[in-house]
Amino acid sequence: MKNEQQTIRDIMIPLTGFPCLKESSTVREAIQQLRSFCPIGSSAPCGFNELMVVNDQDRLVGRVTQQGILKVLFATLLDPAGIKPFEGRTLQYSDLSTLLNGVLIREGVNHLEASISSVIEKDIRVLPVSFDLIQAMSVMVMGEETVLPVEEQGVLCGVVKLAEIFYAIGDTLLSINHKL
């Protein structure tokens, strides 16, 4: 049976295994990092939906998500205040975005060199490496988080994924149940 007092340290992904960028990076660099980052030696398919952002001293600034990047690329379409109702809806053209597809793609291309600074989520929860898995699970489920950064003595050292917590807790529960 695994140690019932596992901590985040036991299951966290080190920074070398998770995409990170400097806060001065562009949207293009963020897209490239999310599309191509794969830890050395990984045999599983890689694909991340967020990355951590650090400053020049490698201190955590925040995170950038796929949703944040898309909001920069397609601000005209995704800004609810700027969208006017489309009266010409048909089955083929259910909304204005299908009519303006080419225009929107060109808009996205024009924003590739934009700084990621406008979409960095800065007020994210950071977990200490010493948190036990039940504490971490509670914080993540209550906060509806799937990935959170992990620090040790104020230094970013990795991330923890809710999926990994789920697997570790599940293994422990099944192991205990099997022995009963």
Side-chain angles (χ1 to χ4, degrees), residues 67-107:
Q67 294 90 342
I69 292 169
L70 291 171
K71 286 177 184 176
V72 168
L73 294 174
F74 303 106
T76 303
L77 176 66
L78 299 174
D79 178 13
I83 298 175
K84 295 183 179 161
F86 177 56
E87 308 268 337
R89 291 182 186 199
T90 66
L91 191 55
Q92 184 178 7
Y93 299 109
S94 60
D95 60 43
L96 195 51
S97 67
T98 57
L99 292 173
L100 296 175
N101 194 318
V103 172
L104 292 171
I105 293 299
R106 281 192 300 280
E107 177 187 353

Side-chain angles (χ1 to χ4, degrees), residues 2-174:
K2 292 187 178 186
N3 179 5
E4 292 179 42
Q5 294 299 315
Q6 280 185 297
T7 65
I8 291 175
R9 179 189 308 283
D10 300 320
I11 64 164
M12 74 175 194
I13 300 168
L15 278 185
T16 56
F18 197 83
C20 290
L21 284 178
K22 298 289 184 187
E23 63 185 321
S24 59
S25 299
T26 65
V27 170
R28 175 190 308 273
E29 292 168 317
I31 292 170
Q32 290 170 333
Q33 182 77 320
L34 287 172
R35 288 184 45 83
S36 65
F37 182 86
C38 199
I40 294 174
S42 178
S43 60
C46 298
F48 295 88
N49 59 12
E50 65 183 73
L51 53 83
M52 294 298 143
V53 180
V54 295
N55 63 19
D56 291 333
Q57 293 76 40
D58 290 330
R59 297 270 188 200
L60 180 68
V61 174
R63 70 174 160 210
V64 171
T65 64
Q66 290 173 340
Q67 294 90 342
I69 292 169
L70 291 171
K71 286 177 184 176
V72 168
L73 294 174
F74 303 106
T76 303
L77 176 66
L78 299 174
D79 178 13
I83 298 175
K84 295 183 179 161
F86 177 56
E87 308 268 337
R89 291 182 186 199
T90 66
L91 191 55
Q92 184 178 7
Y93 299 109
S94 60
D95 60 43
L96 195 51
S97 67
T98 57
L99 292 173
L100 296 175
N101 194 318
V103 172
L104 292 171
I105 293 299
R106 281 192 300 280
E107 177 187 353
V109 169
N110 290 335
H111 293 293
L112 285 174
E113 299 311 317
S115 170
I116 61 169
S117 62
S118 64
V119 292
I120 297 173
E121 295 176 20
K122 293 186 177 186
D123 294 323
I124 60 174
R125 180 82 185 250
V126 178
L127 299 178
V129 74
S130 61
F131 253 33
D132 70 50
L133 298 187
I134 298 296
Q135 287 175 296
M137 178 272 308
S138 177
V139 167
M140 293 179 81
V141 169
M142 298 299 287
E144 298 181 1
E145 299 284 357
T146 57
V147 177
L148 283 178
V150 177
E151 286 184 341
E152 184 169 29
Q153 298 177 348
V155 177
L156 182 64
C157 59
V159 299
V160 65
K161 294 172 75 174
L162 185 59
E164 298 304 320
I165 293 172
F166 176 83
Y167 297 141
I169 291 173
D171 287 349
T172 300
L173 294 173
L174 293 173

